[in-house]
Amino acid sequence: MGLPHQRLGVNIDHVATVRNARGGAYPDPLRAAKMAEEAGADGITAHLREDRRHISDADIEGLMEVLSVPLNFEMAATEEMQKIALRHKPHAVCIVPEKREERTTEGGLEVAREENRLAHFLAPLRDVGCRVSIFIAADRRQIEAAHRIGAEVIELHTGAYCDAIAERDLVTRDRELAALTEMAAFAHSLGLEVHAGHGLTYDSVSPIAALPEVRELNIGHFLIGESIFRGLTPAIHEMRRLMDEACAQKEDVA
Ligand code: PXP
């Protein structure tokens, strides 16, 4: 049996950042999303922030209408966002921290301290059929808590690992990669599906794509930035190529 395809979710938030810099409608994140889909993205990710600094409510509505691939709707665990998600019923919701106090030291959601509230928060989303993912640090305590509150998926925060690569801090890079490796295996052993993302670039993606348990990567800022230089489609194709190359070297754990 071959390995299941590792999905690439393309985050189009920063197309909206550029649009919003001038107001108006250009560049259109929906057009970028359709182009990403045609370039082989397995899903589109968009984060509707409480302050609407990039993606807007109308963008989410438009994405739900035009996409053929699943939408991964990133949102804070607020009542307002829950209502929006329940109205649109996206394929997946990924719960992310937006405020400092919701974060663990590594930047993911602080699940362990808020288990009860989050368990109640997630239940209606699961009831309408959304796959619930929790964006967390590679931290055993947070993973156990995510499992207890009924998440199907965790997305491991790769930000600290990517920062270490950008800063050429090899000690931190190795420490972060070891934690991601160990915690991906631990989460998988609990029955959680493992995704990863944040800050990934061509320089950092391969070791993460090579982790046998990682079924999906969500990548945005770098791809949108790189599309200035080589175009969105070639930028995505190159990321896909690097992921496929890394995946070809790993053993199945399913
Ligand atoms: N995954 C999650 C949960 C995120 O919040 C983000 C950023 O919005 C990403 C992945 C993508 O990160 P980046 O834009 O740095 O690639």
Side-chain angles (χ1 to χ4, degrees), residues 1-10 36-37 39-43 69-70 131 193-195 209 211-217 236-237 239-248 250 252-254:
M1 261 252 304
L3 272 172
H5 173 75
Q6 186 178 66
R7 293 187 298 273
L8 170 60
V10 173
E37 201 178 271
D42 301 289
V69 295
R131 290 199 89 197
E193 182 169 305
V194 181
H195 300 176
L211 297 178
E213 300 83 6
V214 171
R215 294 288 184 242
E216 176 174 311
L217 299 181
I236 291 171
H237 284 168
M239 191 61 83
R240 183 74 255 172
R241 187 188 70 74
L242 291 167
M243 287 168 65
D244 289 344
E245 194 178 76
C247 288
K250 65 189 183 185
D252 196 358
V253 292

Side-chain angles (χ1 to χ4, degrees), residues 103-207:
R103 293 174 188 210
T104 62
T105 43
E106 295 85 356
L109 191 72
E110 174 54 65
V111 189
R113 258 201 327 245
E114 278 220 87
E115 249 182 86
N116 270 346
R117 184 181 86 82
L118 285 170
H120 283 103
F121 183 84
L122 300 185
L125 296 166
R126 282 213 319 270
D127 290 348
V128 298
C130 296
R131 290 199 89 197
V132 173
S133 168
I134 312 274
F135 186 45
I136 48 179
D139 175 327
R140 188 178 291 267
R141 227 177 90 235
Q142 302 297 342
I143 293 169
E144 286 169 343
H147 181 242
R148 280 195 298 271
I149 64 173
E152 281 175 79
V153 179
I154 56 152
E155 181 163 328
L156 290 174
H157 196 313
T158 52
Y161 155 78
C162 292
D163 287 348
I165 290 181
E167 290 157 16
R168 299 177 201 280
D169 175 352
L170 303 189
V171 174
T172 306
R173 178 201 64 183
D174 291 350
R175 191 189 62 222
E176 292 297 330
L177 184 57
L180 290 161
T181 304
E182 193 187 341
M183 289 303 113
F186 175 62
H188 180 81
S189 76
L190 296 179
L192 290 160
E193 182 169 305
V194 181
H195 300 176
H198 200 92
L200 291 168
T201 68
Y202 296 151
D203 290 338
S204 52
V205 73
S206 300

